[in-house]
Every structure is written in C-alpha cells, then in structure tokens.
Amino acid sequence: MHETTLWYEQPATHGDAALPVGNRRLEARVFGGIEHERIQLNEESLQSLGDLFVEQVLPGPSKNYRRSLDLDAAVASTAFTAKSTRFTRDVFSSATDNVIIARFHTDTPGSLNLKIRLTRGEAGDVTQPAYAANQNLEVKAVGRDSLALRAQIERDGKEMHFACFVRARVEGGLVKATDNTIQIVDATLVTVFLTAATSEQGHDPEAALATLEAAFHRPYNELLARHQAEHQRLFRRVELSLPTANPKVPTDQRLTLHPDDPGLAALYFHYGRYLLIASSRPGRLPANLQGLMHYWPAEVTSLSDCHEALFDYIESLVAPGKELATQHYGSSRGWVAPADGTGEIELRGGAWLCQHLFEHWCFAPEKQKHLRRIYPILKGASEFLLDFEDVWRTDGASMDLQITRECWENTLALAQMLSMDDAFQSELERALEKLSPPHISHAYAFYPGNAITLRQNPEQAAALKKTLDTDLSRAWLLCLAARFDDSEAVQEYLSALLTLDSFGATAGIAECLLQSHAAELHLLPALPPDWKSGSITGLRARGGITVSISWEDGKLTRATLICANTLKVPLRVQGSAETKLVTLPAGKTVVITPVP
C-alpha cells in the first residue's frame, strides 16, 4: 500500500506539530485550529516572518474533526462539522505562482464568518508598542479586501526591509478590510492569497504585490492544478509500498500504539522527500532546517533537482572576494580558518560541502559540464586544507582527517578526468601519502563517505562497529546500520526515529534497500525483518542507474535497472558473497530475478 497522508484528530498545540507547506521561498506551518486558526509564515531569507490568524464564528460545537497533510497533493487540510454544516480548509504553497493559498469552504451557503489578521509580534500581537517601535512595523488595510504588512529589522549590521501582502477573494458574502483585519460575513467560499519578500540581495519587497495580483486573477482550480503538477513532477519519481496494518488510526496514535507498523516507515520516507521538495528548489536559497543531513537523500531518492540550490549557494560564496559562509551550515568556517587566536582549526565545513558536489556527478555522470563547474571549488578547498599540514599529519580530529582525504581524492579524480593541473595532481598525491591513516573513532569514512566499506575494509569496518559512538544522531546511526547490512539494527533505529522529523532517516531507508557506494550495485542489503513484502520504484544509483525493486517473504522477486549510457556494473543481492557482472545497454530496461 502506498501511504502518503499524515492525519490527526486534534489541532496542533505547537509549531513542531503544525503541518508544513512550502515552495522554498514561502513556507508555512498550519496549526488546524477550529475557531482560532494560526498559519505561521516564513520567507526564505527571513524565518518567523509573521502569522496569519483566522477567527471563525461557528453555528455550534464542532465534531468529526480531521487535520491532514497529503504528501502527494502537497495540501494541508482541516475539516470539521458544526451542527449539520461541514467546514473545510485547504492550504498550499505554490512554486509555480509564488504564493501561499488558503481556501475556506462550507457546504451550507452563507455560513462562513471570518476575521483574518496579519501580524508580526510575540503571540501575533502587533499592539505591543515596544515591538512595533523596534521593528518600524506597520500593518494596514488596503482597499476593501487586502492587508499589507511592512517592516524593517537590523541583521548582521544591515537594515532589511520586508513586506507581506494578503488579499481575500470572497464568494457569496461581504468583505471589509480595516486596520490589520479583513472581516468576512455570510460567505460560502473564501480564498486567501498571501505572498512576501525582503530586500535581501537588493530585491524590492514591493515587487511581491505584483506576484499576488497575478495569482489572484487565476481560477482556484487552475492554481491548484499548476501547483500539484510541479510538486508531483518531483514527488512521484519514487514510490515505496510496504504492508500497512493500521491505516485507519491517526498518525500520532499509530506512532505510540503501533511503532513497528511498516506502513509508518513508508509514510516517514515519503514525508522526508516531501520536506526536501518544499524546502529546496533551484534558484532559491538552500534548505537550512537540518544543514548537510538535509541533502543526504537528494540523489538516491531522485531529487537531484533539489540539490541544485545548495550548489548555487556554494558557488556564489566561493566567488572571488567571498568566503564560504556559515549562515546555513553551523560553526565551520569553510575555506577560512578562525582568527580568534585559539589555534583551533575547523577543517570540515567547506570540504564536507564539496562531497555533495562530487556525489551529484557520481549519480549523473552524463553531466560533464558539472565537472568543470565544481572543479575550481574542490581545488580551492583542497588548497586550503594543504595549508594546515601540522593538523592533518598529526593531531587532527578523525572526522577532519577523513573529510580531508576524501576532498583530496575527489579533487585528484576530477583533475585526472579533466586532464588538467598536472603539478597540482602531484602535490595532492604527495599529501595523500603523508596523511595520517583513517581512524575508526568517527564514522564519517563509512557513511556518508566510502573510504571504509564492509567488503573492501572488513577489519576496519568491524572495529568501527564495535566502537561506534552512540551519541551520533539516530538518523546517522540508521544510515551506518544500513551500510553494515544490519537489518535488525536498521529496524531498531528506524522505530526510534519515527517520532522525529529527519531527512537523514529518509536517506537511511533508501540505503537499506539500495547501495552503490562500493563500486557495485547491492539490492536489499539491509531489509528490515518486519518488511516481509513491498516494492520501491525510481531509486537512483551511482552511475546514473534508475532502480526499482520488489520482494516477497523477505526475498527479492524482481528488480529493474535502466541507465542512459551503456554500463557494466557488478551486482549483489541481499548480502550474498556472489557478485554478478551485469551489462546495461543504453536506455534499455534490464530485469533481475532470483536464480532458481
């Protein structure tokens, strides 16, 4: 069963429980309140942009409540009944039209009575004088059906201006905007349009108003169809189906009462991909919710498009005269060593980012232009690392050493493929000979790196498993367990992760079904014991291979492989010691079935 809906029988009580929608530029969390709805707003360059509050007058007590997020449709919905009237709300953030849309509907004509407020302040209270004065905040009515919020803040020593605009389209009722409120009386259908922008990177926040007006004059069904077509273009590339024991139980209750239900793992997998699509798109800033771990599932789950935002960001920050900044990726200073006099040098930030650049090419080797694009970036990172011989030769942390080795090896491989920088190639080769050997005290070389693999370095891998630091994030432990082909541990870590929002876990689920890091294709390497039957379509392997797999009674029944270019690849199934060399003709599907 292909599960793609999270649902609950009560509103969210805090932001982490609210249901997220996003197109990367505009994100929102929908609380699903009954008489008091809250939609928390973010813009890509300004978190906590503000709130849209909706007060609704009901004809009586509510019942039959349901709050849901359809991951395939990318719509957050709230529905309930008051007396004999059914009220519904649908919220989505459109990447095609660059607006957030909230639609309120009733099946009893003329029964929608709403007050819509646009606010920015603690608890959404813009009446606080201190807050308004400090932010130069202004919220005012525009015309009969619109609100405009304008403000400015100081960030990083600079003044940022921003604006947020809301307009309501009303059918079958009256609408009047006053101060910071739009009041709607006796309506049947209300569609609320919202957009926002900041002055970041020299943009004009007022330009968002034209975006809002363009969307406002499109029919709702057209807006919804455009939004869903763009979302599903990415989301439907991969489908994971697992047995579902309790689909009629609300998601939060399933997590408590039935945490071992395989259907929950599939839902969790789809949720991770949904969040990556919602938070990282080409031409925008990269995702910042969980830093680098956020991008672990991008390539293997066929979301390489979402990776592009990270690549653009890295490229812009290592342009002449710029540093690799730390706004989105923690305390590492990237190419630049700290100048605080402590002598502590954090090497890993920029070099770890370079792994994403190189891995993208591994999954899509046909992209030759990508090699020339990323080579100067990797070379710059490698040159920076070469300047700190006293660290990487002797007392550097294990993770720093492992990332340093990986960065140099990847840069050397690129230089060789591009037939350039012979002298620099020799310098890297000499440095790699001097580099301290990999330690086992940190797991990076095993995942997400591949300097240590289970078959090529069995002794180091075994030692790493015995000394594994369990203080690592559970998502990382899940990915490591998959690389160890440890099905039992995969199931254990996954059960513990189901209550968390983690992109690393989505990568871990993919890793237990397909691996390609060790110069071979490995099908079902760490299938959890409870996943007796199931299927997955559309996964990606290094070499540009698209892989679909089905299994019954815990055993492979069928797999299909297709590659754009002719390729020969070693293939293993479910931990078997036997490797078979498979030829993939360009553009033709190859079917793999069990040997009788």
Side-chain angles (χ1 to χ4, degrees), residues 399-458:
M399 186 170 180
D400 289 339
L401 297 175
Q402 292 166 5
I403 294 176
T404 296
R405 177 179 293 277
E406 178 183 69
C407 184
W408 286 348
E409 289 177 344
N410 290 347
T411 305
L412 179 60
L414 287 180
Q416 292 170 344
M417 283 185 280
L418 294 171
S419 300
M420 59 192 304
D421 285 342
D422 291 346
F424 188 58
Q425 289 185 40
S426 298
E427 186 177 1
L428 287 177
E429 289 170 345
R430 289 192 296 270
L432 284 165
E433 291 176 358
K434 297 177 183 177
L435 189 64
S436 300
H439 295 282
I440 61 168
S441 59
H442 201 286
Y444 178 89
F446 199 65
Y447 187 95
N450 59 8
I452 300 174
T453 67
L454 194 58
R455 296 239 290 176
Q456 294 174 348
N457 315 94

Side-chain angles (χ1 to χ4, degrees), residues 339-558:
D340 58 5
T342 63
E344 296 179 0
I345 300 172
E346 182 69 78
L347 300 179
R348 68 186 63 158
W352 192 342
L353 287 171
C354 285
Q355 189 218 29
H356 289 263
L357 298 172
F358 188 81
E359 282 287 282
H360 180 68
W361 175 80
C362 291
F363 279 87
E366 70 277 6
K367 295 184 177 181
Q368 292 299 309
K369 288 184 179 179
H370 183 72
L371 295 184
R372 295 190 177 276
R373 176 189 182 187
I374 69 175
Y375 178 69
I377 302 174
L378 269 73
K379 182 180 178 181
S382 293
E383 288 174 331
F384 170 76
L385 295 168
L386 286 167
D387 288 339
F388 297 96
E389 183 173 353
D390 58 330
V391 175
W392 53 255
R393 283 196 66 181
T394 55
D395 56 0
S398 294
M399 186 170 180
D400 289 339
L401 297 175
Q402 292 166 5
I403 294 176
T404 296
R405 177 179 293 277
E406 178 183 69
C407 184
W408 286 348
E409 289 177 344
N410 290 347
T411 305
L412 179 60
L414 287 180
Q416 292 170 344
M417 283 185 280
L418 294 171
S419 300
M420 59 192 304
D421 285 342
D422 291 346
F424 188 58
Q425 289 185 40
S426 298
E427 186 177 1
L428 287 177
E429 289 170 345
R430 289 192 296 270
L432 284 165
E433 291 176 358
K434 297 177 183 177
L435 189 64
S436 300
H439 295 282
I440 61 168
S441 59
H442 201 286
Y444 178 89
F446 199 65
Y447 187 95
N450 59 8
I452 300 174
T453 67
L454 194 58
R455 296 239 290 176
Q456 294 174 348
N457 315 94
E459 293 182 359
Q460 285 180 294
L464 171 61
K465 190 172 186 180
K466 289 180 180 178
T467 59
L468 197 59
D469 182 0
T470 54
D471 289 335
L472 294 174
S473 74
R474 287 176 176 174
W476 202 336
L477 289 170
L478 171 64
C479 294
L480 291 167
R483 286 275 174 99
F484 282 119
D485 299 352
D486 190 338
S487 301
E488 297 284 351
V490 163
Q491 187 161 294
E492 176 186 348
Y493 291 132
L494 187 57
S495 296
L497 271 166
L498 287 176
T499 57
L500 305 173
D501 292 353
S502 174
F503 300 92
T506 301
I509 291 172
E511 200 74 20
C512 77
L513 299 174
L514 173 69
Q515 294 178 17
S516 61
H517 64 286
E520 64 179 13
L521 206 59
H522 193 176
L523 308 181
L524 304 181
L527 186 67
D530 284 352
W531 298 7
K532 300 298 184 185
S533 62
S535 65
I536 190 160
T537 61
L539 287 180
R540 293 279 289 180
R542 291 163 183 84
I545 308 168
T546 299
V547 181
S548 299
I549 310 170
S550 300
W551 64 94
E552 293 285 346
D553 297 323
K555 299 295 183 183
L556 176 77
T557 55
R558 176 186 168 92

Side-chain angles (χ1 to χ4, degrees), residues 153-168:
I153 58 173
E154 185 175 309
R155 192 168 77 177
D156 299 329
K158 298 179 181 179
E159 192 174 81
M160 172 190 279
H161 294 259
F162 60 94
C164 181
F165 303 101
V166 172
R167 189 173 182 187

